[in-house]
Amino acid sequence: MHRVCVSACLSLTVLLPFAPGSGLAQAPSNIIVSLAAQPTPLMTGWVTPWGRKLPCPDCHPPKRFWAAAGELMAAQAVPWAFTRYVRDGEWARISPTTWLDNLKFPWQWDNNRFNNNQFAHPYHGSLYYNAGRTNGYDFWHSAPWAFGGSLMWELFGEVWAPAPNDLANTTLGGITLGEMLFRFSTLTLNNRATGTNRVLREVGAGLINPVQGFNRLVRGESGRISETPPAWRPSRIQATMDVGYRRFSTSGQLDDPSGKDQALLQFSVFYGNQLDDLGKEPFSAFQVVGTLASTTENHRPLQELRARGNLAAQPIGSSGTKQLAAFMTYEYISNPAVDFGAQGFQGGIVARKVGPKRVLYGEALARVNPIAAIRSDYFVTAEGRDYDYGIGLGGRVEGWALWPGKATVRLSGGYVFLPVISGFPGHHQLWTLGTEARGYFLGRFGAGASYTRLWRHSNYTFNPDVSTNMSEARVFLSMTIPKWNQD
């Protein structure tokens, strides 16, 4: 029998949805040499001692529209009721009059704080998305649930006028985070497990994805012995956890007196084969990177969360080493140096070359963000919003050299052009350049260092332009965690 490992990574993933947000701009993701999935009884069906094959109701679940609709409404009713009757929040005092006003009057941009609009709204959208996803709908048919839930909330869930930024953040971020959490929660589950093992799996999956946990409990699935769908297991998975120190500076010199020091814990997970699985179902291959850091000023522990999942891909040539791929992305970065949040898409070329001792990996991607936010030099509201909204356009390149089990070296660069559509008129430009090296000296244990530069130039129509030059250095101890095995 196989066992699930990576308890540390699971714990971080479980905590993630509930951590208040605050992290660096577009720090490049780590790439880890993944272990191929080993054949298991799951792939062919598990046979009982009596020679009967177990059923697999989760392999082709029915679509439960009314259950999904009820859970979507519950995902709205619970936070509304708490705010209205426990906290007596002004925005929750809705009535037919406020509904008519929201239908009749123009939409207005929401001015809440950065972590509320860029993290809390996308996470709430993930609940709407999973109302569909955990009730038999696939990725594409679950996406409208995130949009529908967000639209209902904007029109009928609060007194304030509906906001276009809330609709975009909740919908796009909800889809990306929702599918990621759905796959993490199903990865935790094993329908053949029993006893304490089963209880821990069901509780863990419910913490990662509360909508799925609720559904499995009320349907009796949390205790029913059945086959585990092969789709719940990726072709491979790899995780890393880094513990160390970083220093920020608002200039190009790390010894600048304005620099800030932080302890950090970074985790990254690579789900699926990051090249071969790109043409499979959406999010068969995704990456998630997060950074928890010691608090400074108004920034909370979660200072970075980035996720990227495949949408579609087309091989280039017959070798299978290059793909023209499209991705869906979520970015949340809020730290003492910069605030940057974006929902959107990336597309371009991903390639890999495998040699006898070294693996080379590279990608060149264009990006478009229908909604993107960046810290402003002038825009501040009474509600706490201090950032501009715009449409993000640009691209990024990244290259890796990997010596399996020994070391990795990475170099990356990116550019974002962000014309302001809400905030102080003008536009922002961001350039990033980063490098990282890792070495492994005790199997899965190792150490590394990274250096990142970020240049921002903001052109304001009615205010003086602002240019900033920021730098960050990290040193850390690292632990790689092999694939999650089934027991």
Side-chain angles (χ1 to χ4, degrees), residues 7-133:
S7 59
C9 182
L10 173 59
S11 300
L12 288 170
T13 308
V14 170
L15 291 173
L16 185 58
F18 305 99
S22 58
L24 180 70
Q26 204 171 335
S29 54
N30 304 319
I31 191 166
I32 306 300
V33 179
S34 300
L35 302 179
Q38 300 297 317
T40 72
L42 284 176
M43 305 305 174
T44 57
W46 188 71
V47 179
T48 68
W50 303 277
R52 298 176 58 188
K53 187 176 179 180
L54 286 173
C56 186
D58 290 318
C59 289
H60 302 285
K63 294 180 175 64
R64 301 178 174 92
F65 175 84
W66 292 112
E71 288 164 10
L72 186 149
M73 296 294 290
Q76 298 185 336
V78 171
W80 171 82
F82 177 81
T83 303
R84 176 67 181 89
Y85 297 108
V86 177
R87 302 183 60 183
D88 193 27
E90 182 180 1
W91 65 260
R93 298 172 186 173
I94 57 176
S95 68
T97 300
T98 65
W99 298 342
L100 290 174
D101 288 343
N102 287 344
L103 290 169
K104 182 168 53 175
F105 295 119
W107 288 45
Q108 299 178 17
W109 290 80
D110 182 272
N111 288 326
N112 287 151
R113 294 181 181 274
F114 185 85
N115 65 309
N116 186 64
N117 279 346
Q118 301 306 123
F119 179 77
H121 276 284
Y123 177 69
H124 202 183
S126 76
L127 302 179
Y128 302 153
Y129 173 89
N130 274 296
R133 193 70 170 96

Side-chain angles (χ1 to χ4, degrees), residues 228-282:
T228 303
W232 286 7
R233 301 293 185 253
S235 61
R236 59 183 65 183
I237 192 164
Q238 190 75 43
T240 63
M241 184 168 60
D242 303 331
V243 178
Y245 154 89
R246 72 177 178 183
R247 180 172 176 81
F248 284 109
S249 174
T250 54
S251 74
Q253 304 298 320
L254 287 170
D255 59 356
D256 190 290
S258 66
K260 299 183 183 301
D261 301 294
Q262 289 184 302
L264 70 87
L265 187 153
Q266 176 174 292
F267 56 92
S268 59
V269 179
F270 288 77
Y271 179 105
N273 187 299
Q274 300 299 304
L275 182 73
D276 298 338
D277 292 345
L278 296 181
K280 297 181 180 179
E281 293 295 319

Side-chain angles (χ1 to χ4, degrees), residues 126 129-130 133 137-140 142 173-186 209 271 281-284 286 310:
S126 76
Y129 173 89
N130 274 296
R133 193 70 170 96
Y137 292 88
D138 64 13
F139 173 88
W140 297 110
S142 298
I175 294 169
T176 304
L177 295 184
E179 181 65 17
M180 180 188 74
L181 294 175
F182 173 80
R183 288 183 176 267
F184 273 139
S185 63
T186 54
N209 188 346
Y271 179 105
E281 293 295 319
F283 283 68
S284 294
F286 70 80
N310 69 297

Side-chain angles (χ1 to χ4, degrees), residues 410 435-439 447-451 473-476:
R410 171 195 55 78
T435 184
E436 178 188 88
R438 293 170 177 266
S450 67
Y451 180 72
R474 299 186 183 192
V475 291
F476 48 84

